Amino acid sequence: MKLSALLITWHLKKKYTLTVSDWLSAEPHLRYPLTYDGKGNLEDGILYMSDDPDFAMPSHKLSKTFLILTGAAFHVSPSDYPNLCILPESVSLRELASFLQEIFALYEEWNQSLFDSRLSSASIQQLLDLTDRVIPNPMMLVGMDFTVIASKKTAFGRMEPPILGSDEETRDLVNALKSDQNYEEAAYRTGYFYYPGNQIAAPSLCVNIFQQERASFRLMINEGEVPLDDTFGFLLEHLARMVSHALAVNPMADHSSALSLHQIFRTLLTDPSADYVEISQQFSSAGWLSSHSYQCILLKTGILDFKNLTLRSICSYVENTIPASCAVEHQGNVVVYVNLDLCSLSPDEVSQKLANFIRDSLLNAGYSRKMLGHFNFQRQYQQATIALQVGRRINPSLWIHHFNQDIALRYIMEQSTKKLPAYMICHEKLIALKNADAGSHTQLYRTLRCYLENHQSITRTAEALFIHRSTLLYRLEKIRDFMKSDFSKPDELLYLLLSFHLLEMEGD
């Protein structure tokens, strides 16, 4: 295996005191060392050694060679030449040759072990474990959706399931990465590159692994014994090629596809022709019974989640946080179902437990109501969707929206005005009263609404309007004459109150 002048120098510095050129090549051009006999030019791709005190530096550039002088006093400055290293006089040529032989043998054996492992279809984890002898730093292969494929000397490989962001310990890490511009730009890098990290994420030396012209995985080493610079970059690229071959020959399985609940919910959400009786039986077989109560949560993701493929980590986090929950990706968002009979949390506790996560992850959430049985699952998804959509229109500053009275009433009003505007379906005389108010500058329209909303209580209405009782009675008499009503019929009261809300909505 060919090595670079920079890598060889790194090993030499661990054993000897030496002086080296200001510029050392990081390209792996060099084959096994030869002793220079002083004749002819130095050939590219060769590591030369010499202990001749009368050694004359060649006139041509040493861009693809590496020269090491040892065992004598040399009157040459490494700062004047590239790829030049001078060892102390006490280091003999034989000792140097032996040490260099060990260096080349180390990497040759490593390279051969990688090839042998691929011939035997060994796992990616074994490739990383074999690399520990040359790169002892923590190392990890992670999917761009933050799925940990393999790791060594890191805690992430022990998670179940191994997805970054699926627990409290790694959630902040994923949030920090997906909002980090350096991390986003790194997805387009080819070859090895240095990621500087941020306040939460550690620096790393990385290589992207592409599939179908898109970065799908990232091989990275973190800080440790070896430096995160050009020294080990070509070795990381070499390992990445082996990993890429392993991924191509043995594609990674979708971990979640093996989970029956996820399959059932995906079918339920995506197949309009699905047999609900059969689906109900499948749920019962999985332990989610028709006698149980359920809630649906829709988590609306943002552009950062789309760019950084974090939906899978969001699903894992929710499932790890909320007992008896199942989270699936659907139309670019996350849909969560909670079995409230198997869950140890109440609906309010579920909401409270996810509140900080939703806020910190820049998500928006819609919550359905608690419902019994399997046949409402699709309707609960629609209810959670409505809660989110309508809630964001009413209170766009809020992160979380429940399908409560305010949402339900607004939804009813919006549905009722889809084909006809509010002024065409509201109480006709109420519209006339409003128009008359506008022309005469009276307050009969406002007075009537306050009167009905206070359950026709004279005392409470007068207090709410800050007017005298006699003034209110005078206004009410005029209103009754205008509306031709004594406001005693329940249907008319409902119609009037709904008309007030519709007209108010139309004026928004």
Side-chain angles (χ1 to χ4, degrees):
M1 183 178 185
K2 295 181 180 181
L3 305 181
S4 70
L6 191 61
L7 178 65
I8 294 170
T9 301
W10 183 82
H11 282 279
L12 289 171
K13 284 182 177 179
K14 293 179 67 178
K15 186 171 183 178
Y16 303 113
T17 301
L18 44 84
T19 54
V20 296
S21 302
D22 295 333
W23 183 85
L24 294 170
S25 174
E27 295 295 325
H29 297 306
L30 304 175
R31 298 188 293 273
Y32 275 86
L34 296 176
T35 301
Y36 183 59
D37 58 8
K39 298 178 182 179
N41 291 331
L42 302 180
E43 296 182 14
D44 288 349
I46 304 294
L47 191 166
Y48 289 99
M49 305 175 296
S50 177
D51 60 354
D52 182 0
D54 297 323
F55 178 86
M57 289 297 298
S59 58
H60 63 283
K61 295 182 179 179
L62 306 177
S63 60
K64 294 184 179 181
T65 62
F66 187 32
L67 177 61
I68 303 177
L69 304 177
T70 190
F74 296 94
H75 303 287
V76 59
S77 173
S79 61
D80 296 333
Y81 300 90
N83 290 332
L84 175 61
C85 174
I86 300 178
L87 270 64
E89 295 181 42
S90 58
V91 181
S92 68
L93 192 64
R94 173 174 292 192
E95 180 184 346
L96 172 62
S98 176
F99 184 61
L100 291 175
Q101 196 78 12
E102 291 176 8
I103 296 173
F104 275 89
L106 171 67
Y107 291 100
E108 188 59 45
E109 291 170 4
W110 169 66
N111 184 42
Q112 187 61 47
S113 70
L114 296 182
F115 275 107
D116 291 343
S117 70
R118 291 309 311 130
L119 290 174
S120 62
S121 299
S123 66
I124 294 174
Q125 182 62 52
Q126 186 174 353
L127 293 176
L128 268 58
D129 292 339
L130 290 170
T131 303
D132 194 60
R133 60 191 301 194
V134 296
I135 305 178
N137 298 34
M139 180 178 291
M140 180 166 56
L141 176 68
V142 61
M144 301 309 284
D145 61 353
F146 295 101
T147 302
V148 179
I149 309 302
S151 67
K152 70 179 183 72
K153 296 185 177 179
T154 69
F156 301 136
R158 297 196 297 269
M159 296 190 305
E160 291 292 338
I163 300 177
L164 297 181
S166 61
D167 56 17
E168 291 291 348
E169 182 180 355
T170 58
R171 185 67 239 165
D172 289 342
L173 172 65
V174 171
N175 285 340
L177 289 176
K178 77 178 186 180
S179 59
D180 186 344
Q181 185 174 353
N182 288 329
Y183 184 83
E184 180 183 340
E185 292 174 351
Y188 305 97
R189 300 286 295 272
T190 57
Y192 70 86
F193 61 92
Y194 176 73
Y195 170 64
N198 52 46
Q199 293 180 343
I200 297 177
S204 56
L205 190 66
C206 311
V207 174
N208 288 329
I209 296 176
F210 288 80
Q211 292 182 331
Q212 298 179 345
E213 300 183 353
R214 181 177 181 179
S216 300
F217 301 91
R218 181 167 298 166
L219 182 63
M220 61 183 72
I221 58 176
N222 295 118
E223 293 175 318
E225 184 177 332
V226 305
L228 304 181
D229 58 17
D230 295 336
T231 306
F232 286 82
F234 77 93
L235 295 175
L236 192 63
E237 287 182 352
H238 183 67
L239 177 60
R241 288 191 289 270
M242 293 291 184
V243 170
S244 180
H245 178 268
L247 290 167
V249 174
N250 305 109
M252 301 303 301
D254 182 355
H255 299 289
S256 62
S257 64
L259 302 175
S260 59
L261 278 176
H262 295 80
Q263 290 178 325
I264 301 169
F265 275 117
R266 286 194 187 98
T267 300
L268 181 75
L269 292 169
T270 59
D271 185 1
S273 62
D275 185 337
Y276 271 68
V277 174
E278 181 181 350
I279 286 178
S280 178
Q281 293 171 348
Q282 292 172 350
F283 277 122
S284 296
S285 298
W288 283 34
L289 306 180
S290 59
S291 58
H292 292 168
S293 295
Y294 302 91
Q295 183 179 39
C296 178
I297 307 167
L298 173 61
L299 299 178
K300 180 73 173 177
T301 60
I303 186 64
L304 292 178
D305 297 291
F306 174 78
K307 288 182 177 180
N308 293 283
L309 307 175
T310 57
L311 267 65
R312 197 168 183 179
S313 68
I314 293 172
C315 290
S316 295
Y317 179 89
V318 173
E319 291 181 351
N320 288 341
T321 304
I322 305 301
S325 65
C326 180
V328 295
E329 302 173 22
H330 180 60
Q331 296 182 348
N333 299 309
V334 172
V335 181
V336 183
Y337 284 92
V338 183
N339 187 321
L340 295 171
D341 283 76
L342 300 181
C343 182
S344 58
L345 306 174
S346 68
D348 287 342
E349 289 171 331
V350 169
S351 180
Q352 292 169 8
K353 204 165 184 64
L354 290 178
N356 290 338
F357 162 72
I358 292 169
R359 180 199 63 202
D360 296 342
S361 301
L362 303 180
L363 304 174
N364 286 275
Y367 285 73
S368 78
R369 292 175 178 172
K370 173 182 175 180
M371 294 185 185
L372 179 68
H374 301 151
F375 293 96
N376 283 318
F377 279 146
Q378 183 64 252
R379 297 188 183 100
Q380 282 184 294
Y381 167 67
Q382 295 297 333
Q383 195 176 67
T385 302
I386 292 167
L388 183 58
Q389 293 173 345
V390 176
R392 292 176 73 180
R393 287 197 292 272
I394 297 175
N395 294 302
S397 62
L398 298 181
W399 300 94
I400 298 171
H401 306 276
H402 295 264
F403 196 87
N404 53 23
Q405 174 181 310
D406 293 338
I407 298 293
L409 179 59
R410 182 64 174 245
Y411 175 68
I412 291 172
M413 294 191 297
E414 288 181 353
Q415 291 299 302
S416 68
T417 55
K418 273 194 170 182
K419 294 184 178 180
L420 293 174
Y423 72 87
M424 293 186 69
I425 60 176
C426 290
H427 196 292
E428 189 173 5
K429 291 183 178 178
L430 181 64
I431 296 175
L433 179 66
K434 183 179 182 182
N435 292 334
D437 247 4
S440 59
H441 303 291
T442 57
Q443 298 188 44
L444 302 184
Y445 178 86
R446 177 168 173 255
T447 299
L448 176 58
R449 179 169 186 174
C450 187
Y451 178 62
L452 297 181
E453 289 178 346
N454 280 281
H455 309 289
Q456 303 186 55
S457 168
I458 299 296
T459 301
R460 290 202 298 269
T461 303
E463 290 176 352
L465 293 173
F466 300 102
I467 59 176
H468 195 272
R469 179 186 178 90
S470 60
T471 303
L472 174 60
L473 292 173
Y474 171 75
R475 289 184 186 178
L476 290 176
E477 188 63 29
K478 294 191 68 174
I479 291 171
R480 289 190 181 96
D481 290 343
F482 189 93
M483 301 287 290
K484 307 298 183 188
S485 172
D486 60 359
F487 309 117
S488 61
K489 297 179 180 179
D491 287 350
E492 184 183 25
L493 294 177
L494 174 61
Y495 186 22
L496 282 169
L497 287 170
L498 184 59
S499 294
F500 278 117
H501 284 289
L502 288 171
L503 291 171
E504 182 181 48
M505 183 183 73
E506 189 177 59
D508 288 348

